[in-house]
Amino acid sequence: MRGLFDLSVATGLALGLGGVFLSYLGNPANSGICISCFLENIAGALTLHHEIRMSYIRPEISGFILGSFMMAISTGRFKVKGGASPAVRFLLGFFMIAGCAVFIGCPIKMILRLGAGDLTAIPAALGLASGVYIGVRYLKGGFRPGIPKDMPGINGLFIPAFALLLLLFLWLRPGFIAIGQRGPAAEHAPILIALGIGLGIGALAQRSGLCITGGIRNLFLARDLTLFNGLVMALVSAVVLNLLLGSFHLGLHAQPSSHQAHGWTFLAMLLVGFSSVLIDGCPFRQLIKAGTGDVDAAMTTMGMLVGGALVFGWSIRSTSAGPAFGGKIAVIAGLIFSVGVAYLLRQRVRRT
Amino acid sequence: MDWIDRISLVAIGILTVVLVGMLVRHHIYASPVPAPDPAIRLEAFYKRQRQMDEEIFKKPLSLEKKGEFTRAAALFKRIIRTQPNRASGYEYLANLYLKMGDLSKSIHYFRMAVERNPDYVDKKTPIYIGNRLKRLVSEGREKFSREKSLKPNDPVVKQTLKDIYYLQSRLAGGCE
């Protein structure tokens, strides 16, 4: 248990330091690591949307998946399982990214934004914790998405192979891949360093099981601090490195990719927290699990990628001006869907 | 290994060789002329845009040169109504209001320009005006924060502060 505790803290440390360092090396400010932003970038690079400013193949994503994959293979933890409500997971993956797009960032970016002094991320943290709490109530109330079964091995190789293919596309740059030369797409750390950091964090996260919403869930569910300590370490290390690099700016205003619609921020991250508990993991954790042969997490990952495309296609996101109308609708629709799923997949205790 | 397996493996092998061959051939023959540098393409694109803007906004720009600011502003607005997504119109108007000494309106129109074309705050583009905007926003924030304490319910002051916060956030960068 002690070893696992240390590994969670080590993963949190790597996330905090890695996130800030990647921004320092060229990734967008406060977005050194952001699963939702990066998936939006990848969706753009694959021309699933046409916002060229948000089109780039982020090697960090491939790094997380392949790091987890290699660690799982080398430790005998690669187990191909799935079939527990895959369609539901796909749609919840989509709504998770919609929620992230309304906040402008995934739970990891929320920690990085807090670590850079961005106070607009506080309503996001409260929303995320509230969403996780609601999810925990449903778990205690009998929510069961189904039992995953063993599946043929090739199903588990799909997402790692996709991650490898993305790296090939980044290297070869075939004509159908769009790489933006301005905006956030043009802001990136050197490819090999970004990939290396991704691989390291992916491998660590596979061993430790670190998950942003999982840490909060375990705290609510069982008063277990193991993963939560990792989150605290991620935040503390981000604050310290930001202070050292001069990128800590405490305040509500002049914060990168932020807006002042705090109510919508709260609701958006409530959706992310709630849906993450229903599908057992935040966006980052879904990538890590997809690398270990979890076919359900692979379905969620595909849902997240589609979400990354449609947040632009359907304008269900926020800018510094606040959430677009489509973003507000997506958050409400996502909450209705999540509650509906939680309601329909409950195993109720029959009283005699 | 039965005959179906053998045929499957042979088919995979042949198709893989064909695929790699096609890709290599395409890579060698498809693009003999190297694509121009993206920065040069962007420079050329904005040069053409600027020429088009000068043509479209010819009349209000000439009125502005003559010092007929009020008439120029009205004409800029009329053209903007017909082309609401052309960011340069808002930039012209913002500059004009700055000349007229109306900081609030100038900031508002700069916000509208940046909303329509974020390249204004992107250092990698030839139309970057971030440093100018930073000075303007800093001046505006000082002035309108002071005014807010004197007139806390004034809608113009409130809107201007919102515009300032928007521009500050865009100037700070991020993934948006």
Side-chain angles (χ1 to χ4, degrees):
Chain A
M1 198 65 191
R2 181 75 200 163
L4 196 62
F5 171 87
D6 290 341
L7 216 49
S8 290
V9 171
T11 313
L13 185 70
L15 270 177
L17 296 182
V20 177
F21 192 53
L22 283 167
S23 280
Y24 178 74
L25 289 178
N27 277 10
N30 293 2
S31 304
I33 295 173
C34 173
I35 307 304
S36 58
C37 302
F38 289 3
L39 286 172
E40 288 166 14
N41 288 173
I42 289 172
L46 298 174
T47 56
L48 298 174
H49 69 69
H50 295 288
E51 176 56 89
I52 191 71
R53 297 169 47 82
M54 287 291 281
S55 301
Y56 178 66
I57 293 177
R58 297 275 173 194
E60 294 89 342
I61 293 284
S62 292
F64 295 149
I65 295 169
L66 293 173
S68 162
F69 173 70
M70 288 189 282
M71 179 58 84
I73 291 282
S74 63
T75 56
R77 288 160 184 246
F78 187 79
K79 300 230 164 24
V80 183
K81 280 176 178 283
S85 307
V88 166
R89 288 173 193 273
F90 180 90
L91 286 169
L92 283 174
F94 163 79
F95 280 120
M96 248 187 343
I97 295 301
C100 291
V102 169
F103 162 60
I104 319 183
C106 72
I108 291 178
K109 181 165 165 179
M110 181 194 82
I111 290 179
L112 293 176
R113 279 173 60 173
L114 283 170
D118 180 352
L119 298 180
T120 64
I122 290 176
L126 295 174
L128 191 77
S130 305
V132 171
Y133 179 78
I134 294 168
V136 165
R137 298 308 304 177
Y138 274 104
L139 284 182
K140 284 184 176 174
F143 172 77
R144 299 287 180 274
I147 300 164
K149 298 170 197 72
D150 287 335
M151 297 186 94
I154 191 166
N155 290 285
L157 295 173
F158 172 58
I159 290 290
F162 180 62
L164 203 59
L165 193 65
L166 287 176
L167 287 179
L168 270 176
F169 286 163
L170 181 61
W171 178 44
L172 295 172
R173 311 254 170 130
F176 55 87
I177 293 295
I179 302 287
Q181 303 295 334
R182 57 209 164 101
E187 294 177 32
H188 49 80
I191 292 172
L192 287 179
I193 295 176
L195 179 63
I197 289 176
L199 284 168
I201 291 175
L204 273 172
Q206 197 286 322
R207 292 290 286 126
S208 67
L210 187 71
C211 166
I212 310 301
T213 51
I216 305 169
R217 180 201 59 198
N218 290 358
L219 183 66
F220 287 148
L221 198 61
R223 302 272 177 265
D224 180 2
L225 283 168
T226 311
L227 297 181
F228 190 77
N229 286 332
L231 314 191
V232 174
M233 180 49 82
L235 178 62
V236 171
S237 56
V239 170
V240 171
L241 191 56
N242 272 314
L243 283 169
L244 287 174
L245 295 175
S247 46
F248 184 88
H249 306 290
L250 190 69
L252 272 170
H253 304 297
Q255 300 292 355
S257 13
S258 67
H259 57 75
Q260 305 298 316
H262 307 306
W264 284 107
T265 292
F266 178 88
L267 279 179
M269 289 312 264
L270 187 143
L271 167 62
V272 175
F274 184 22
S275 51
S276 294
V277 174
L278 297 183
I279 53 176
D280 192 26
C282 65
F284 171 68
R285 183 82 192 125
Q286 298 297 331
L287 296 181
I288 300 301
K289 281 167 52 174
T292 63
D294 186 329
V295 182
D296 290 331
M299 285 302 287
T300 311
T301 301
M302 284 294 108
M304 295 196 301
L305 185 63
V306 169
L310 290 182
V311 293
F312 285 94
W314 294 353
S315 192
I316 46 179
R317 64 192 187 105
S318 290
T319 65
S320 296
F325 178 71
K328 294 174 185 176
I329 293 296
V331 168
I332 302 291
L335 286 171
I336 293 170
F337 182 74
S338 300
V339 175
V341 164
Y343 169 79
L344 290 170
L345 292 179
R346 270 189 69 207
Q347 290 179 2
R348 290 158 183 87
V349 179
R350 288 175 190 271
R351 290 198 176 88
T352 50
Chain B
M1 191 187 284
D2 62 10
W3 65 272
I4 298 178
D5 283 346
R6 282 197 294 273
I7 286 179
S8 305
L9 289 177
V10 169
I12 290 169
I14 290 171
L15 289 170
T16 307
V17 170
V18 169
L19 176 74
V20 172
M22 283 173 69
L23 285 171
V24 169
R25 194 180 145 79
H26 179 79
H27 187 70
I28 293 169
Y29 296 112
S31 52
V33 183
D37 185 285
I40 293 169
R41 270 187 298 180
L42 202 61
E43 187 86 43
F45 169 76
Y46 274 115
K47 199 176 168 187
R48 284 198 305 275
Q49 285 293 311
R50 187 53 75 183
Q51 284 166 352
M52 279 167 70
D53 291 338
E54 280 169 5
E55 192 55 39
I56 292 166
F57 296 101
K58 199 173 170 180
K59 279 188 185 170
L61 284 171
S62 91
L63 285 173
E64 186 183 336
K65 264 186 195 161
K66 287 179 198 162
E68 295 184 44
F69 293 159
T70 314
R71 281 184 64 200
L75 203 49
F76 272 129
K77 284 179 188 170
R78 201 186 305 165
I79 298 172
I80 284 172
R81 271 199 294 275
T82 64
Q83 303 197 40
N85 289 323
R86 185 165 281 275
S88 51
Y90 301 94
E91 190 207 353
Y92 284 138
L93 204 48
N95 285 323
L96 180 64
Y97 277 118
L98 203 57
K99 277 187 193 168
M100 292 165 82
D102 192 334
L103 190 59
S104 170
K105 280 189 179 163
S106 175
I107 287 171
H108 181 64
Y109 283 110
F110 272 126
R111 175 206 168 129
M112 295 181 87
V114 172
E115 269 185 330
R116 278 154 187 82
N117 189 356
D119 282 0
Y120 284 119
V121 287
D122 188 341
K123 276 182 192 162
K124 291 187 171 72
T125 71
I127 60 165
Y128 177 70
I129 52 168
N131 290 332
R132 252 183 84 211
L133 283 181
K134 273 180 198 165
R135 283 193 298 274
L136 198 69
V137 158
S138 152
E139 185 191 333
R141 184 159 186 190
E142 201 177 306
K143 182 183 173 197
F144 289 99
S145 298
R146 212 169 40 236
E147 284 198 17
K148 198 190 173 197
S149 59
L150 297 172
K151 297 180 275 184
N153 295 319
D154 188 324
V156 174
V157 174
K158 275 186 185 175
Q159 181 57 48
T160 308
L161 281 171
K162 272 189 186 173
D163 293 336
I164 287 170
Y165 297 148
Y166 172 84
L167 286 171
Q168 280 187 314
S169 179
R170 292 312 299 246
L171 287 163
C175 200
E176 186 186 328

